[in-house]
Amino acid sequence: MMFQHILISTAKATLDDLRLPFEGPVTVELSNETRERIERAHKVITDLVARGDVIYGVNTGFGKLADRRISKDELLELQRRVVESHMVGVGPSFGEATVRGMMVVKLLSLCQGHSGLRLEVVQLLLDMINHDVLPVIPSQGSVGASGDLAPLSHMAGVMTGHGQVRIGRKIYNAVEGLRSVGLDPAELGPKEGVALINGVQASTALALQGLFAAEKVLNAAITAGALTLEATAGRQEALDARIQAIRGQIGQITVAASLRNLVAESEILAHEFEGRRLQDPYSLRCMPQVFGASLDLLEQAARVLEREANAVSDNPLVFPDDEVVLSGGNFHGEPVAFASDMIAMALCEIGSITERRTAMIVDTSMSGLPPFLVEGAGLNSGFLMAQVTSAALVAENKTKAFPTSVDSIPTSAGQEDHVSMATHGGVRLQPMAQNAAYVVAIELLAAAQGSEMRDGGPSAPALKPVFELVRARSQYLDQDRALANDMEAVAADILSGSYLPHGAVPLVGNAS
């Protein structure tokens, strides 16, 4: 198994770095400067504790119990109990990629030098990542402030010998799993438990995972739309750069350029014939505007999440230069919640306009192709039911797209009186991306069928490899057969990134 490598240094992690844990196992290395800033922050904690200063979460209770002072001989017990008492997650466990991403994002946060942990505790988390020891973390139980307490506590619990881990295909109890790779559980010192469980790293990982899936879906949708445009002999005039330029929306300009490249030198689109539509329906004509707006949303989400992955969001925070510890609210997940809502809206709209193109291409009065893209319609149903599936998936995504960030339920006896629900916002993104991938897969299958019916396949050079990619998974439909496996195969290709180079609009985040 190949492990990709991430170096944590004083430089910020990029969007490309953040992709890696979601693609497979990684190894992580800390620079000397990173190790030094971790140790500097820890020294502040040890000095203040030795001096007897009152520090929230170090020698006090938590939340509504912050005014309860903890005696010196109970400080280690406080950190043990805060982890175990917060291990209250329920429901299905997060997938391996989500947990791996969460661990890497948490490590990035701890390595900024404002959390106050000992280097050996940070090293344990790093070693778990490097051995791909993945805590079993329930997916339900976080409201996104005070951070993702329940999910992160299940991660921290493993580090202290509690809970379960997944190594390869086997599940172990925490102690057994750690020792199988030569690691031992840690006894947490002052500040370390609260630093591990506080923060929005679960929400951020879920949002990043959804973002990268949405990027693949969008690029596949752009290629599918171009294939449909040619298969239905649409008008490429709507893609003209001058139209996009006078509106000035960056995403629209970018998507229109991609679509122009995909249909460039199309003999089909260059050929005039009697009865050809003067104007296309919006699902074709407004692809730059709708896909472009979706791209803009995803780029904004990418910038927010890239910053958040490099952020420190536990509490309290250590400032070594000033030798102070300050209590604030960086654990509130509102930026991540908004980013997840943006990704959800983009996924919903990408699927919505894509389904409309599928409905258009199977309608002989709109496409000029045989009804439901099959010869002998009546005896054959062709793509009739595939479009119904597409409509059902779009409807499902509409219910999931409602903003989670507008909800809040007070917790902790009113101390935590406004929460972000960022975790809920992130959890829905993978199912939404899967649904949208199916919707785009159905259009790709229909567009390939329509292209072959119209002219034996696409004439635009850039569309030919797209057509072949579809045909590698699904052959021409000459009579009815089950299409479910074809849809699954093409959707899997979409989510693996096979269509990303053809769409050619990768996210760049803060590099832009």
Side-chain angles (χ1 to χ4, degrees):
M1 184 184 294
M2 286 288 293
F3 281 57
Q4 301 199 70
H5 187 71
I6 299 172
L7 173 65
I8 298 180
S9 66
T10 53
K12 300 292 187 184
T14 67
L15 209 58
D16 285 340
D17 294 326
L18 297 170
R19 294 177 194 275
L20 299 180
F22 298 103
E23 295 172 354
V26 295
T27 57
V28 184
E29 176 188 358
L30 306 185
S31 69
N32 290 334
E33 295 87 353
T34 299
R35 292 176 181 275
E36 288 170 6
R37 63 188 182 187
I38 293 170
E39 290 175 329
R40 286 184 66 218
H42 175 62
K43 185 176 184 304
V44 173
I45 293 295
T46 56
D47 289 349
L48 294 181
V49 169
R51 201 167 68 192
D53 288 16
V54 178
I55 310 168
Y56 170 75
V58 175
N59 49 19
T60 74
F62 302 96
K64 195 76 170 180
L65 303 174
D67 59 345
R68 305 293 176 90
R69 183 73 184 269
I70 308 300
S71 66
K72 205 166 190 177
D73 59 355
E74 292 179 316
L75 296 186
L76 300 188
E77 182 66 11
L78 175 68
Q79 299 303 310
R80 182 190 71 79
R81 292 190 187 189
V82 73
V83 172
E84 291 188 44
S85 67
H86 285 64
M87 292 175 69
V88 293
V90 295
S93 300
F94 286 131
E96 293 181 20
T98 304
V99 174
R100 192 182 295 115
M102 185 172 83
M103 295 170 74
V104 169
V105 175
K106 186 65 187 180
L107 184 63
L108 282 166
S109 178
L110 298 176
C111 287
Q112 302 303 313
H114 294 283
S115 298
L117 292 81
R118 288 169 293 158
L119 181 58
E120 50 263 44
V121 175
V122 178
Q123 184 68 45
L124 175 58
L125 179 58
L126 181 148
D127 289 338
M128 288 170 60
I129 294 169
N130 287 351
H131 287 93
D132 211 35
V133 175
L134 304 176
V136 175
I137 300 176
S139 59
Q140 294 172 281
S142 175
V143 295
S146 210
D148 296 313
L149 292 170
L152 290 172
S153 292
H154 284 274
M155 181 199 78
V158 167
M159 296 174 67
T160 61
H162 301 279
Q164 295 181 310
V165 294
R166 180 181 288 107
I167 304 175
R169 296 185 177 182
K170 291 189 66 176
I171 302 290
Y172 301 85
N173 70 57
V175 174
E176 182 186 10
L178 289 173
R179 288 182 176 162
S180 73
V181 296
L183 302 176
D184 290 308
E187 181 179 35
L188 300 180
K191 176 69 169 70
E192 292 177 340
V194 71
L196 288 170
I197 72 171
N198 207 279
V200 291
Q201 287 77 35
S203 302
T204 302
L206 287 163
L208 282 167
Q209 190 174 17
L211 175 75
F212 298 139
E215 175 188 41
K216 294 167 186 173
V217 170
L218 173 60
N219 279 272
I222 291 169
T223 60
L227 194 58
T228 297
L229 182 68
E230 192 185 61
T232 58
R235 296 282 181 182
Q236 56 184 326
E237 176 184 326
L239 308 179
D240 192 293
R242 292 166 292 186
I243 295 174
Q244 327 311 322
I246 63 170
R247 194 174 200 185
Q249 297 290 351
I250 301 303
Q252 177 180 332
I253 291 167
T254 303
V255 169
S258 176
L259 288 165
R260 285 197 304 275
N261 289 336
L262 284 164
V263 299
E265 301 177 40
S266 169
E267 296 175 6
I268 294 171
L269 297 185
H271 175 64
E272 284 296 330
F273 56 88
E274 187 176 347
R276 189 181 183 191
R277 288 186 308 271
L278 183 62
Q279 281 194 329
D280 291 324
Y282 291 176
S283 59
L284 282 177
R285 199 181 350 149
C286 299
M287 285 191 290
Q289 288 77 12
V290 177
F291 286 150
S294 300
L295 175 59
D296 286 337
L297 274 183
L298 295 178
E299 280 288 8
Q300 171 63 10
R303 288 190 287 271
V304 170
L305 295 173
E306 188 178 340
R307 287 194 296 267
E308 194 63 40
N310 287 283
V312 187
S313 58
D314 61 278
N315 190 60
L317 299 171
V318 182
F319 293 87
D321 290 345
D322 305 310
E323 296 185 354
V324 297
V325 177
L326 302 177
S327 185
N330 279 2
F331 50 73
H332 201 292
E334 200 80 347
V336 180
F338 282 167
S340 290
D341 283 346
M342 285 188 272
I343 297 166
M345 287 190 291
L347 281 168
C348 189
E349 281 301 281
I350 292 165
S352 180
I353 195 171
T354 296
E355 183 276 330
R356 288 292 81 202
R357 287 193 305 276
T358 300
M360 185 270 295
I361 197 174
V362 301
D363 183 344
T364 187
S365 67
M366 295 292 291
S367 67
L369 296 166
F372 301 107
L373 303 175
V374 69
E375 300 294 346
L379 177 61
N380 288 311
S381 295
F383 281 79
L384 186 155
M385 286 307 298
Q387 186 268 325
V388 173
T389 297
S390 184
L393 293 164
V394 169
E396 185 179 327
N397 269 5
K398 287 177 182 178
T399 66
K400 293 179 184 293
F402 187 85
T404 61
S405 59
V406 300
D407 187 22
S408 180
I409 298 178
T411 61
S412 191
Q415 177 76 0
E416 297 161 5
D417 59 349
H418 183 274
V419 298
S420 72
M421 301 299 181
T423 322
H424 297 166
V427 165
R428 69 185 156 163
L429 295 179
Q430 281 303 111
M432 288 188 72
Q434 182 68 68
N435 287 349
Y438 284 135
V439 172
V440 175
I442 291 167
E443 186 191 5
L444 282 165
L445 291 167
Q449 180 82 359
S451 177
E452 200 157 351
M453 289 185 127
R454 180 171 293 279
D455 201 43
S459 63
L463 287 178
K464 290 180 179 179
V466 174
F467 176 81
E468 292 303 324
L469 196 53
V470 177
R471 282 287 169 257
R473 300 298 188 189
S474 177
Q475 294 307 302
Y476 179 79
L477 188 72
D478 55 355
Q479 63 180 25
D480 282 348
R481 67 171 189 272
L483 288 174
N485 289 339
D486 305 52
M487 289 151 57
E488 292 282 358
V490 176
D493 281 346
I494 289 169
L495 291 175
S496 73
S498 297
Y499 289 87
L500 209 158
H502 301 289
V505 289
L507 298 173
V508 294
N510 291 307
S512 62

